[in-house]
Amino acid sequence: MAGGILRPPLLFDGYVRHFDLVVIGTGSGNSIVDERFADWDVAIVEKGVFGGTCLNVGCIPTKMFVHTADVAATPAGAARLGVDEELHGVRWPEIRDRIFGRIDPIAAGGRRWRVEGNANVTVYEGQARFVGPKTLTVSIPGASTGETITADRFVIAAGSRPIVPDVAGIEEVGFLTNEDVMRLEELPERMIVLGSGFVATEFAHVFSSFGVDVTLVARSGVLLRAEDDDVAARFTEIASKKWDVRLNSKAVRVERVDGTVRLHLETPRGAEVVEGDVLLAAVGRIPNADLLDVEATGVTVHRDGRIVVDDQQRTAVDGIWALGDVSSDYQLKHVANHEARIVQHNLLHPDAPVDADHRFVPHGVFSSPQIGSVGLTERDARERGLRYVTATQDYADIAYGWAMEDTTGFAKLVADPATGQLLGAHIIGPQAPTLIQLVIQAMSFGLDVRSMARGQYWIHPAMPELLENALLKLKLD
Ligand SMILES: Cc1cc2nc3c(=O)[nH]c(=O)nc-3n(C[C@H](O)[C@H](O)[C@H](O)COP(=O)(O)OP(=O)(O)OC[C@H]3O[C@@H](n4cnc5c(N)ncnc54)[C@H](O)[C@@H]3O)c2cc1C
Ligand SMILES: NC(=O)c1ccc[n+]([C@@H]2O[C@H](COP(=O)([O-])OP(=O)(O)OC[C@H]3O[C@@H](n4cnc5c(N)ncnc54)[C@H](O)[C@@H]3O)[C@@H](O)[C@H]2O)c1
């Protein structure tokens, strides 16, 4: 391949192998190298399990647990429909093994395919670290020295890891994260969940539906505080009826006494202690750029540790791209995948590069109730000084909501009254992450509110009538 090859000084045992392209991380980064790269000499470096966070310890297993939890939780909602159901129990080892019995072979198959099936790809299984310009060492477990490799091009797709909460005693007491909580040997009786974001609320739903007593400790006054205020308030209200929710609580110290985890809290109500058998830390994720020493190759990072990239996913160094959790504003799989497609295109077509599109990034929270969201919240619109209107439609006032006897869900739309364009949409209730897709489509293709509401049929009496009604309520100019 053509290209400005930079040969670094020889390191370690003196052998430095040079590649056309090195990809660090096999989450979304793994999808870049396809048959179009057949004449490229490529290295892929992975320190953990092939497939990364989403496949192994993130989106996919959590949603498989969530669906199972939804099924376990049906008796609680059936009585109001006149159906008496009883949950006799959940077979945790069977649930766990069914889920990972499907996932683990996919990860192993992905690895096998790369190692055995790709003649032009060399897989390095170890921890990568930059030691100079476009120069990487890979520490291979069990080997005394690392291997050094160089390349014309690098893609940094190294993801993020759970933040260890700053709580005295936490290392000694021990804690779980998303990396191990789904593989527990047995279900605990009581779980303390520290955090109030996506991971905390999804696992609280899973484990409480399986019969675990959940105590959720939130630093803020509301759960899921990044959501639209109305959605966060409704979620907090519902969650507080199911779980022992401690709001405005700062965890300061943890200890284990006779096998019980005791978490000490500072709250406006005074000092409190919550107890459990295990502690799950879910207080956010930190990008893995620090462990990669990216500054050694000249790549710059934001104050929060994310790699700085431009619209084309280029870092500060020519020939080095970054994508996904290691650099993105959004720690979401669909964003990492989108950015991987942008990097892939820009590697293959350097003369016709394209930009990533972060205009309308949606997300779903797969707790109970579920949440789907895209675009600006009302708070965002207010803080930006925009002129906006909102409309809210309850599930309780549409036919399918009657069928479900839903009394808490709603859709809230934020729109520009002058242009009729939607600015944001927020749904809390059954199938919210599915329903929101209609709005994502409308916003992505510039469909205005009136055309969306009246330019198409809406199946009666299906759930999307929630959005039809919300659209019709918007007071446009
Ligand atoms: C519990 C949980 C649930 C989630 N659920 C959802 C969801 O429902 N929907 C959604 O959109 N998103 C979800 N996410 C977020 C999603 O998983 C991530 O945004 C996505 O996986 C990021 O992909 P990535 O390719 O950037 O990183 P990763 O998938 O994390 O891949 C990075 C890879 O790089 C490897 N690596 C890191 N450092 C090095 C190094 N120095 N040397 C070699 N290899 C290295 C890692 O081992 C890893 O395999 C969830 C996250 C969690 C934790
Ligand atoms: N359904 C999904 O798409 C999904 C599911 C899980 C995770 N994710 C992604 O993974 C990321 C990480 O998830 P997460 O839930 O760990 O992070 P998060 O940023 O969603 O939430 C972390 C929460 O913990 C709180 N917190 C921080 N420090 C704390 C402390 N010391 N004590 C108590 N609370 C504290 C924060 O205020 C915040 O509310 C998410 O931002 C999301 O992008 C997505």
Side-chain angles (χ1 to χ4, degrees), residues 71-76 85-90 208-211:
V71 172
T74 50
E85 288 182 5
E86 209 174 309
L87 179 67
H88 295 294
V90 297
S208 65
S209 301
F210 291 168

Side-chain angles (χ1 to χ4, degrees), residues 28-362:
S28 295
N30 192 41
S31 61
I32 290 176
V33 181
D34 62 14
E35 63 287 350
R36 287 170 291 175
F37 291 79
D39 62 344
W40 294 45
D41 192 9
V42 179
I44 293 183
V45 191
E46 174 55 62
K47 69 171 179 163
V49 184
F50 251 70
T53 303
C54 181
L55 174 65
N56 295 293
V57 290
C59 341
I60 296 180
T62 53
K63 269 76 252 184
M64 292 173 81
F65 279 104
V66 163
H67 179 74
T68 311
D70 290 345
V71 172
T74 50
R80 67 170 184 268
L81 302 177
V83 178
D84 293 323
E85 288 182 5
E86 209 174 309
L87 179 67
H88 295 294
V90 297
R91 298 190 294 278
W92 167 259
E94 205 175 301
I95 295 170
R96 180 198 59 203
D97 295 348
R98 172 178 58 78
I99 290 170
F100 289 108
R102 180 174 282 211
I103 286 171
D104 293 348
I106 297 172
R111 176 188 174 277
R112 202 177 321 112
W113 180 69
R114 279 298 186 208
V115 172
E116 296 169 12
N118 288 207
N120 64 319
V121 176
T122 305
V123 175
Y124 288 85
E125 295 187 286
Q127 168 115 12
R129 193 166 62 83
F130 284 99
V131 290
K134 293 191 173 174
T135 307
L136 202 66
T137 64
V138 186
S139 321
I140 313 288
S144 54
T145 55
E147 290 204 40
T148 303
I149 56 178
T150 60
D152 301 336
R153 300 163 191 79
F154 283 83
V155 174
I156 305 176
S160 60
R161 63 185 184 277
I163 292 174
V164 177
D166 182 17
V167 176
I170 196 158
E171 297 285 4
E172 298 81 63
V173 167
F175 60 98
L176 300 164
T177 67
N178 65 294
E179 295 186 357
D180 41 20
V181 73
M182 291 182 273
R183 295 204 188 234
L184 286 173
E185 273 307 306
E186 54 187 33
L187 278 181
E189 282 181 19
R190 301 167 300 169
M191 177 180 286
I192 304 171
V193 180
L194 181 58
S196 50
F198 289 64
V199 173
T201 54
E202 290 185 357
F203 280 129
H205 167 50
V206 167
F207 286 101
S208 65
S209 301
F210 291 168
V212 176
D213 274 338
V214 169
T215 302
L216 197 141
V217 176
R219 219 171 33 176
S220 47
V222 73
L223 307 182
L224 294 170
R225 69 186 166 137
E227 301 298 329
D228 185 88
D229 290 344
D230 293 341
V231 170
R234 180 61 53 87
F235 185 88
T236 307
E237 184 190 319
I238 296 167
S240 303
K241 291 183 185 144
K242 292 187 295 190
W243 313 323
D244 180 0
V245 174
R246 306 294 174 107
L247 300 173
N248 300 305
S249 300
K250 182 168 190 280
V252 286
R253 184 167 71 84
V254 61
E255 60 186 344
R256 192 181 286 275
V257 180
D258 297 333
T260 293
V261 177
R262 291 169 49 81
L263 184 65
H264 294 257
L265 312 176
E266 278 174 6
T267 83
R269 309 169 292 275
E272 292 179 359
V273 180
V274 291
E275 294 190 341
D277 302 315
V278 292
L279 171 66
L280 172 66
V283 295
R285 294 177 66 80
I286 178 174
N288 283 329
D290 54 346
L291 303 179
L292 263 171
D293 258 339
V294 293
E295 279 101 341
T297 188
V299 167
T300 53
V301 292
H302 293 282
R303 285 165 71 94
D304 61 10
R306 279 176 306 123
I307 291 175
V308 177
V309 288
D310 66 8
D311 289 344
Q312 295 174 18
Q313 301 298 136
R314 294 179 299 192
T315 69
V317 178
D318 189 32
I320 304 186
W321 289 259
L323 64 92
D325 282 14
V326 80
S327 54
S328 191
D329 272 341
Y330 309 93
Q331 295 179 330
L332 294 166
K333 182 63 175 175
H334 40 273
V335 177
N337 283 345
H338 171 76
E339 293 175 355
R341 287 192 291 271
I342 298 299
V343 172
Q344 184 188 52
H345 174 98
N346 292 346
L347 282 165
L348 290 168
H349 307 285
D351 298 331
V354 290
D355 288 353
D357 181 354
H358 294 121
R359 287 172 307 150
F360 308 114
V361 175

Side-chain angles (χ1 to χ4, degrees), residues 433-455:
T434 303
L435 288 177
I436 200 77
Q437 193 67 39
L438 296 166
V439 184
I440 300 165
Q441 188 164 350
M443 290 175 73
S444 300
F445 296 105
L447 192 59
D448 67 280
V449 165
R450 286 194 185 96
S451 307
M452 186 181 175
R454 279 293 165 252

